[in-house]
């Protein structure tokens, strides 16, 4: 074999070996990167699952606390208000005409307070909410808001009503309470509306007000600074029930929350 042929064969073999080694390195590098990516995904999934479990546990504790408060309001405070009303009724016949007017007014206030306590107790009681259903529970909540004489409220419903899984229905109701709480605290609104649409493919709820509105991006930036958790709680609760939340607001143009839940999330 001539020297030139040996050199050519050597070059071919060397090139083949280099390509083979390079290809092997690239293959193992690809496997390593894919394994690393999978590991990162698993870590993210585990972290997300942990956060979901933690949030679910916190919500369960909150529900237990609210149930306890509900029972205390109904058993103790309502009973005390009833006793006050009874005592006022006993004093009334023995009072002068001038004092009677004050006593009657106090009895009226006590009766109003008793009604408010019962309504508040019902809104905190998980079993009661599940018994009457989400739509009626939201209607009751808006009625309580209306009784403050500060807001004009309305609720409209279209489509054939269907129920959600029990835990989803509670989370959805608490989410709405959070929205209404934000409205009361910040909106300076005069009108609050709720629009519910039951369609064959999804559930849609819009809660809107005619208040002062706000800059959404700025509000989200200031969440950490102000320690405000309202908007974050709404998003977290919505995520638990696979709901999409659309927030629309601009300064001086009111605020609306739209909640969309796929039909498969229902019973």
């Amino acid at each position: 074999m001539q020297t030139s042929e040996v050199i050519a064969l050597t070059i071919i073999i060397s090139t083949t070996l280099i390509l083979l080694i390079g290809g092997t390195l690239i293959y193992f590098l690809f496997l390593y990167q894919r394994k690393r990516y999978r590991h990162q995904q698993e870590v993210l999934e585990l972290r997300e699952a942990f956060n979901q479990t933690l949030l679910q546990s916190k919500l369960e504790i909150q529900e237990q606390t609210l149930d306890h408060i509900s029972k205390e309001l109904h058993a103790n405070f309502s009973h005390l208000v009833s006793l006050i009303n009874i005592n006022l009724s006993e004093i009334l016949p023995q009072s002068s005409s001038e004092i009677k007017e004050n006593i009657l007014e106090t009895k009226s206030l006590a009766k109003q307070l008793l009604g408010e306590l019962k309504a508040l107790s019902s809104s905190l009681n998980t079993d009661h909410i599940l018994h009457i259903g989400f739509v009626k529970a939201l209607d009751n909540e808006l009625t309580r808001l209306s009784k403050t004489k500060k807001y004009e409220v309305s609720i409209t419903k279209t489509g054939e009503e269907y129920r959600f899984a029990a835990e989803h229905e509670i989370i959805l109701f608490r989410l709405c309470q959070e929205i209404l709480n934000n409205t009361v605290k910040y909106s300076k609104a005069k009108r609050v509306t709720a629009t519910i649409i039951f369609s064959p493919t999804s559930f849609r709820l819009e809660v809107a007000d005619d208040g002062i509105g706000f800059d959404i991006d700025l509000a989200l930036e200031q969440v950490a600074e102000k320690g405000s958790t309202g908007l974050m709680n709404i998003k977290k609760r919505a995520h638990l029930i696979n709901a999409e939340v659309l927030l629309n607001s601009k300064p001086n143009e009111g605020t609306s929350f739209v909640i969309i839940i796929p039909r498969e999330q229902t019973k």
Side-chain angles (χ1 to χ4, degrees):
M1 184 178 292
Q2 296 181 2
T3 305
S4 59
E5 293 178 346
V6 172
I7 294 173
L9 183 61
T10 302
I11 292 173
I12 291 172
I13 294 173
S14 300
T15 303
T16 302
L17 287 174
I18 291 172
L19 290 174
L20 182 62
I21 293 171
T24 303
L25 287 174
I26 291 172
Y27 175 71
F28 280 108
L29 181 62
F30 170 76
L31 289 180
Y32 169 76
Q33 289 292 350
R34 187 169 68 173
K35 186 175 181 180
R36 182 181 178 188
Y37 174 76
R38 285 180 178 175
H39 175 69
Q40 290 175 339
Q41 288 297 110
E42 289 173 359
V43 170
L44 289 174
E45 288 173 3
L46 287 171
R47 186 177 299 166
E48 178 66 18
F50 173 77
N51 289 336
Q52 290 288 92
T53 303
L54 182 62
L55 178 58
Q56 188 70 50
S57 298
K58 287 173 65 178
L59 292 177
E60 288 174 0
I61 293 171
Q62 287 177 7
E63 286 302 320
Q64 292 172 4
T65 303
L66 291 174
D67 275 343
H68 176 71
I69 294 172
S70 170
K71 290 179 174 64
E72 287 295 312
L73 285 173
H74 188 270
N76 296 325
F77 289 93
S78 295
H79 179 63
L80 288 174
V81 175
S82 296
L83 289 177
I84 290 171
N85 222 348
I86 291 171
N87 288 337
L88 289 172
S89 296
E90 291 179 353
I91 296 171
L92 187 61
Q94 308 168 20
S95 304
S96 64
S97 57
E98 294 179 357
I99 298 177
K100 279 184 178 180
E101 187 176 341
N102 289 333
I103 293 177
L104 288 171
E105 177 64 22
T106 305
K107 277 175 61 64
S108 176
L109 291 173
K111 183 178 180 180
Q112 183 179 341
L113 175 59
L114 184 60
E116 286 296 317
L117 284 173
K118 288 182 177 179
L120 179 59
S121 175
S122 297
S123 74
L124 298 177
N125 187 282
T126 302
D127 292 336
H128 177 75
I129 295 166
L130 291 177
H131 176 69
I132 64 175
F134 167 76
V135 174
K136 181 61 178 176
L138 179 59
D139 188 26
N140 289 346
E141 199 71 7
L142 289 170
T143 299
R144 286 183 58 232
L145 198 61
S146 176
K147 286 181 178 179
T148 64
K149 309 293 185 183
K150 295 181 179 180
Y151 308 94
E152 179 186 349
V153 303
S154 66
I155 181 170
T156 57
K157 178 178 75 74
T158 59
E160 185 176 351
E161 183 177 341
Y162 43 77
R163 298 289 299 270
F164 299 88
E167 65 275 13
H168 287 195
E169 200 150 284
I170 291 299
I171 291 173
L172 177 60
F173 179 68
R174 297 302 182 207
L175 192 158
C176 289
Q177 284 185 314
E178 191 82 53
I179 291 173
L180 293 175
N181 183 53
N182 281 353
T183 299
V184 171
K185 288 173 65 176
Y186 306 115
S187 74
K188 298 182 181 178
K190 295 181 179 179
R191 179 174 174 78
V192 180
T193 61
T195 305
I196 302 173
I197 301 175
F198 290 95
S199 80
T201 57
S202 65
F203 165 88
R204 179 185 174 94
L205 165 67
E206 180 178 7
V207 180
D209 66 63
D210 63 350
I212 60 175
F214 60 94
D215 185 312
I216 297 174
D217 293 334
L218 181 60
L220 291 174
E221 289 176 6
Q222 293 177 342
V223 164
E225 297 176 14
K226 294 184 177 181
S228 174
T229 58
L231 292 177
M232 298 305 298
N233 283 341
I234 290 170
K235 289 183 176 295
K236 288 178 180 179
R237 289 180 190 272
H239 185 64
L240 280 177
I241 57 176
N242 194 30
E244 180 183 6
V245 177
L246 305 176
L247 171 58
N248 298 299
S249 186
K250 291 182 180 179
N252 303 314
E253 293 186 16
T255 300
S256 72
F257 285 87
V258 177
I259 302 165
I260 302 172
I261 305 176
R263 178 67 190 269
E264 59 264 24
Q265 296 299 313
T266 62
K267 283 186 177 180

